[in-house]
Amino acid sequence: MALSIAGRTAIVTGAGSGINLAFARALLRKRCNVVFADLKLRPEAQELVSNHSGSSQSSAKAVFQQTDVTDWQHLERMFHIAKKEFGGVDIVCPGAGVYEPVPPPTARLSSSQAPSSNFWHPPGSTCSTDASAYASLSINLSHPIRTTQLAISHFLSDRSHPSTPTENGTPTKSIIHVSSIAGQTTPLAAPLYVAAKHGISGFVRTLAPLEQRFGIRVAAVAPGVVRTPLWTDHPRVLRMVTGEDLWVEPDEVMEAMMALVEGGEVEVLQKGGQEGTRLVTVEGGMVLEVGKGRVRVVDTFMDEGPSGDGHTVSNVAPVHDEIFNRLHAGTWGLQE
């Protein structure tokens, strides 16, 4: 039987938009309280929080905590808010992330572009925000790791919320990460993003034994190309997608995330490219790849890799050419 999450509490970083907003909405729909931890909320997220505020008649409540996930004190504060508002926390999703924006073809930014954390614009260049650390890795890798440490600490110290580590055979505490098919593939345009997502998938697998010993499930989804502001709000990234490419929708990823939380079985593709689907038992350390209308278990060893709809960007050649041209100039990596 699936775990009932009614009356429980979740912390979701990056809940202001995209996949994490879809996940937060689904949690609220199932009467789970949610702490929205983000720098800001998009209008649709703000409306959702308002509709589930303390003064509303909704059965589940939502609070917004402004959070910079690169600041570890902000991460600690999320848990204090959950404790203060709801008595504790049961589900944690350190889902906030940034893509590695496709670099402009020159060393100079246009008036409409902002500096970013991108491997192809090293620290010191006018296009880079990085100084003593890579912001992309701080957001996409360090923040999920630190949040997981905090979550485990709170789970172990608060056995009274709830008192049992499992219900219907499913852990009552879970940490759901957002990896990516970039954790299996190697796109040249985004080396830092790829490194982070490979890291997240490996990190999740190392924590699989916590489920059997402590009733804490650590698992992840690995989405393909999802129609979120990470893509749609950034023209230089969006241009890699053509009419031949199909989007994965946030709700498709959300469904896989909910399956990881609620336990039981999940329907996934057959192994080895065989036709049809199979049911597998959800377990700690699991990484579920989510494509368009398809979910697949990512194997730790000898995995066949992503394929099919929702996993492609067809217009990457111009981006590669821009990178190669910059490298050929002979001044790459020097102070600009």
Side-chain angles (χ1 to χ4, degrees):
M1 293 178 62
L3 171 72
S4 171
I5 60 173
R8 303 184 192 274
T9 296
I11 295 172
V12 183
T13 70
S17 65
I19 293 169
N20 302 301
L21 173 56
F23 184 50
R25 182 183 291 112
L27 292 168
L28 289 167
R29 192 180 300 128
K30 294 205 172 187
R31 295 182 291 148
C32 176
N33 305 311
V34 181
V35 176
F36 283 62
D38 210 331
L39 284 173
K40 60 182 180 180
L41 301 177
R42 291 174 73 92
E44 58 271 28
Q46 181 60 67
E47 180 181 11
L48 184 63
V49 171
S50 298
N51 289 341
H52 290 81
S53 66
S55 59
S56 72
Q57 299 300 310
S58 61
S59 56
K61 304 301 182 184
V63 296
F64 170 56
Q65 177 62 39
Q66 189 172 46
T67 304
D68 176 356
V69 297
T70 66
D71 187 328
W72 287 7
Q73 290 186 339
H74 282 216
L75 299 181
E76 292 173 8
R77 192 179 304 153
M78 303 183 307
F79 290 87
H80 296 320
I81 292 297
K83 182 77 171 179
K84 175 185 175 182
E85 297 288 336
F86 305 117
V89 63
D90 308 286
I91 301 160
V92 175
C93 174
V98 293
Y99 194 62
E100 196 165 352
V102 177
T106 68
R108 301 298 172 188
L109 294 169
S110 70
S111 59
S112 63
Q113 294 170 325
S116 63
S117 181
N118 183 287
F119 178 82
W120 299 113
H121 283 290
S125 67
T126 57
C127 296
S128 176
T129 58
D130 298 326
S132 59
Y134 294 111
S136 175
L137 294 181
S138 295
I139 297 168
N140 293 335
L141 185 59
S142 294
H143 130 253
I145 291 174
R146 178 58 183 146
T147 301
T148 299
Q149 287 180 318
L150 291 167
I152 293 170
S153 174
H154 280 266
F155 290 165
L156 295 178
S157 65
D158 189 15
R159 286 299 189 184
S160 63
H161 186 75
S163 58
T164 55
T166 63
E167 181 179 300
N168 297 325
T170 298
T172 56
K173 306 291 189 181
S174 57
I175 306 169
I176 308 302
H177 288 264
V178 181
S179 185
S180 168
I181 59 168
Q184 308 167 60
T185 58
T186 56
L188 177 69
L192 296 178
Y193 186 78
V194 167
K197 295 307 183 180
H198 273 75
I200 289 298
S201 292
F203 174 70
V204 163
R205 292 184 174 110
T206 67
L207 300 181
L210 296 184
E211 178 163 333
Q212 183 174 4
R213 181 62 65 90
F214 297 104
I216 299 172
R217 171 172 292 161
V218 184
V221 289
V225 184
V226 187
R227 197 197 307 265
T228 71
L230 242 61
W231 288 87
T232 57
D233 284 4
H234 297 90
R236 291 194 57 77
V237 176
L238 186 59
R239 68 181 176 139
M240 293 192 293
V241 180
T242 73
E244 299 176 3
D245 305 310
L246 294 182
W247 292 102
V248 179
E249 298 299 335
D251 279 353
E252 295 180 275
V253 186
M254 171 274 291
E255 289 174 1
M257 296 169 78
M258 293 300 294
L260 292 174
V261 170
E262 294 176 317
E265 295 181 321
V266 61
E267 185 176 3
V268 301
L269 293 177
Q270 293 282 3
K271 300 184 71 155
Q274 300 179 55
E275 294 292 328
T277 60
R278 59 194 172 105
L279 290 175
V280 297
T281 301
V282 175
E283 59 185 4
M286 176 175 279
V287 179
L288 291 180
E289 175 190 291
V290 184
K292 184 64 180 176
R294 51 195 282 144
V295 176
R296 186 180 71 87
V297 176
V298 182
D299 292 324
T300 304
F301 301 107
M302 304 298 289
D303 185 74
E304 61 198 68
S307 63
D309 293 338
H311 293 142
T312 62
V313 287
S314 300
N315 192 39
V316 296
V319 177
H320 292 177
D321 289 342
E322 290 170 2
I323 292 170
F324 294 147
N325 288 339
R326 292 211 63 206
L327 297 178
H328 279 304
T331 58
W332 185 83
L334 302 178
Q335 296 289 317
E336 298 171 347

